[in-house]
Amino acid sequence: MSAIQIQGLRPLKGTVGIQGSKNAVLPMMAASLLADGVTVIRHVPEIEDVFSMMGILESLGCKCSLEKGVLTVDTKAASGHRIPEEYVGKMRSSCLLLGPLLAGRGEAVTYYPGGCVIGKRPIDLHLYALKRLGASFFEAGGMILARADRLRGARIRFSYPSVGATENAILAAVTAEGETEIENCAREPEIVWLCRYLRSMGAEIQGEGTHCIRITGVKELKAGNMQIPPDRIVVGTYLCAAAATRGKITISNPPEGELDAFLEVYGKMGGQYNRRSGKLIADGSGTAFPVPFLETDTYPGFPTDLQSPLMAVLTTIPGKSRIRENIFENRFRIVEELNKMGASVAVSGREASIQGGTCLRGCTVRARELRGGAALLVAALAAQGETVIEGCSFIYRGYEHICEDLASLGAQIEEDTGTAFL
Ligand code: UD1
């Protein structure tokens, strides 16, 4: 059982580099199936979700290797169309392979996807988009069987701008016959990165980053070559850790302008930040003001993935803060653990009310999902005494070397392997 031990109350200070983005790399890995050849992707984080996606690609006949952040995917011998159940249960992004498999093989077999336990997370919007492009779906014995003789461009209008469904629609449409228009699509930076990547492979796409994406299908794509951008959610998590400990840290490779909504809240709490020579310097020593109301939203709103780490910071600020979670209905599971540590957070439906400034005390807590787990790390750094975080495999699904990074910033932190970083 993996666990992390932390002795809190040490202000973080120093400089840290940021891993490649998990949410950007996964759809690009799925896109490798659209070309016949060797895809090369650099600055790839060595995290569980990437390993799972590699496992799926290998089960489909691809040859994959990941060394020192360089991922290669050779699709020359790939011919499979079944996504193995073991990976589907582990990772929701496995359903991103439906689009490329239907485009390339005309069929796909999968199961209902898994991933973080943060809500119902249906895939109806994925299926809707693929059906519009000509796919049919059948359910048999818990499996989803998908077929499409030929994908054809279509008008897709989402009732909600789902990130994953937008990615799936794009992946399926780039080699479909004719024009596709995706309305009310997601505008997240990961969509923009995916479109840039596909364009470098020969796709014809316009409008990414707006509410409407237009695609003209092409006959074939060439294998891709890409550098993954830094992970904006990891940056936000580390800035939360700096704020919770009233520390000051420098991010050596911040993303460009992808964190504005988060930084605005950071400033409101009393944190300061500036960019110098391509670096982001964040001074959390003045963090002192509660946030009367904050709600998560689709991009460019406040990201749901940073809601829990921010909540951990707000428990350290005297006064009342309130958060409304609009994206995932079950993203307050961390509250019980924070309250065990001495926080005072009350949840009513989609809203959490935080009475901050109570003294956080170390104890044993359990991570139950990725971002909630990261938030427990943030709280532990600000708590008196020792905190033991169990269930750390959830944290490693998204954070490549969070313990080493925090240790390099002065945290006293150990993993259960017995390896002391400080
Ligand atoms: C992606 C990110 C995740 C982030 C989320 C929102 C990846 C690998 N994960 O997840 O980190 O928190 O965007 O920014 O990129 N929904 C439906 N039907 C569908 C699809 C989604 O009802 O077919 C609902 C979901 O249950 C959820 C909401 O839409 O309530 C948002 O989901 P979506 O935008 O699809 O998020 P993901 O792509 O799963």
Side-chain angles (χ1 to χ4, degrees):
M1 205 31 111
S2 60
I4 297 173
Q5 291 164 25
I6 294 180
Q7 301 284 342
L9 291 184
R10 292 177 166 224
L12 297 188
K13 57 176 189 297
T15 299
V16 69
I18 300 297
Q19 69 182 67
S21 162
K22 167 177 95 69
N23 291 353
V25 75
L26 295 173
M28 290 186 201
M29 289 174 77
S32 62
L33 283 180
L34 293 169
D36 197 15
V38 182
T39 292
V40 181
I41 310 180
R42 285 162 280 116
H43 198 218
V44 173
E46 297 190 15
I47 52 176
E48 284 307 315
D49 277 13
V50 167
F51 298 139
S52 294
M53 190 59 104
M54 286 171 73
I56 300 175
L57 290 171
E58 276 167 356
S59 76
L60 295 170
C62 301
K63 281 199 189 117
C64 303
S65 88
L66 176 56
E67 259 180 67
K68 295 188 180 153
V70 180
L71 171 73
T72 58
V73 182
D74 183 346
T75 60
K76 280 185 217 107
S79 60
H81 66 277
R82 282 173 181 270
I83 305 171
E85 189 172 10
E86 58 171 304
Y87 294 111
V88 177
K90 270 191 205 165
M91 192 183 59
R92 184 179 158 78
S93 300
S94 59
C95 69
L96 290 179
L97 291 158
L98 281 177
L101 283 174
L102 283 167
R105 318 257 189 287
E107 58 182 341
V109 176
T110 188
Y111 301 79
Y112 275 98
C116 272
V117 212
I118 54 170
K120 293 195 234 59
R121 306 193 86 169
I123 57 165
D124 54 317
L125 298 172
H126 296 248
L127 303 189
Y128 156 74
L130 297 171
K131 277 182 197 163
R132 293 288 302 154
L133 293 167
S136 318
F137 292 90
F138 311 90
E139 279 188 59
M143 287 187 288
I144 303 176
L145 315 174
R147 271 191 173 281
D149 291 336
R150 181 85 182 93
L151 292 179
R152 290 205 166 76
R155 181 160 172 251
I156 296 167
R157 186 174 162 74
F158 284 122
S159 54
Y160 175 86
S162 152
V163 176
T166 300
E167 290 166 346
N168 229 336
I170 295 168
L171 289 165
V174 281
T175 55
E177 198 178 295
E179 312 272 326
T180 295
E181 196 168 89
I182 311 172
E183 289 175 41
N184 196 26
C185 60
R187 292 186 291 162
E188 267 64 7
E190 293 73 27
I191 302 285
V192 175
W193 284 103
L194 176 64
C195 290
R196 277 189 205 162
Y197 176 60
L198 289 166
R199 219 165 15 238
S200 77
M201 293 168 71
E204 289 185 24
I205 308 177
Q206 286 175 346
E208 72 271 19
T210 74
H211 289 296
C212 180
I213 292 177
R214 288 192 179 82
I215 298 172
T216 305
V218 295
K219 282 222 165 59
E220 55 177 25
L221 296 173
K222 61 178 192 293
N225 189 320
M226 185 74 176
Q227 165 101 1
I228 297 295
D231 193 311
R232 63 190 172 107
I233 304 302
V234 173
V235 175
T237 305
Y238 289 3
L239 262 51
C240 284
T245 61
R246 311 299 188 256
K248 180 177 176 179
I249 64 170
T250 298
I251 305 291
S252 60
N253 59 334
E256 283 297 324
E258 296 180 356
L259 270 171
D260 293 355
F262 173 80
L263 288 172
E264 195 185 319
V265 174
Y266 203 74
K268 281 187 186 157
M269 294 191 301
Q272 296 191 342
Y273 58 89
N274 61 64
R275 284 180 183 265
R276 214 179 299 146
S277 316
K279 296 181 177 157
L280 176 67
I281 301 157
D283 184 352
S285 60
T287 305
F289 306 103
V291 176
F293 182 70
L294 165 101
E295 58 185 332
T296 59
D297 203 349
T298 55
Y299 190 84
F302 191 92
T304 173
D305 285 349
L306 287 172
Q307 181 261 104
S308 298
L310 186 86
M311 181 188 283
V313 179
L314 293 174
T315 66
T316 71
I317 302 176
K320 192 170 168 184
S321 297
R322 201 155 57 91
I323 296 180
R324 182 174 172 79
E325 172 56 58
N326 288 321
I327 311 294
F328 291 109
E329 69 278 9
N330 204 6
R331 241 182 183 168
F332 288 141
R333 298 184 84 208
I334 187 200
V335 166
E336 195 182 321
E337 303 302 292
L338 286 177
N339 285 348
K340 252 198 224 170
M341 296 176 74
S344 175
V345 184
V347 174
S348 171
R350 282 185 176 261
E351 289 199 8
S353 171
I354 302 133
Q355 189 58 52
T358 54
C359 175
L360 294 181
R361 291 175 307 273
C363 64
T364 299
V365 287
R366 173 163 286 276
R368 293 198 167 82
E369 39 92 11
L370 168 59
R371 306 302 172 187
L376 290 176
L377 271 173
V378 172
L381 291 167
Q384 218 167 55
E386 182 175 278
T387 302
V388 176
I389 303 174
E390 295 175 345
C392 296
S393 53
F394 284 110
I395 300 174
Y396 303 137
R397 280 191 49 197
Y399 295 85
E400 188 176 16
H401 25 56
I402 193 164
C403 292
E404 290 93 328
D405 285 349
L406 293 173
S408 77
L409 295 171
Q412 194 173 346
I413 184 165
E414 268 180 40
E415 287 177 280
D416 74 339
T417 50
T419 317
F421 294 110
L422 199 87

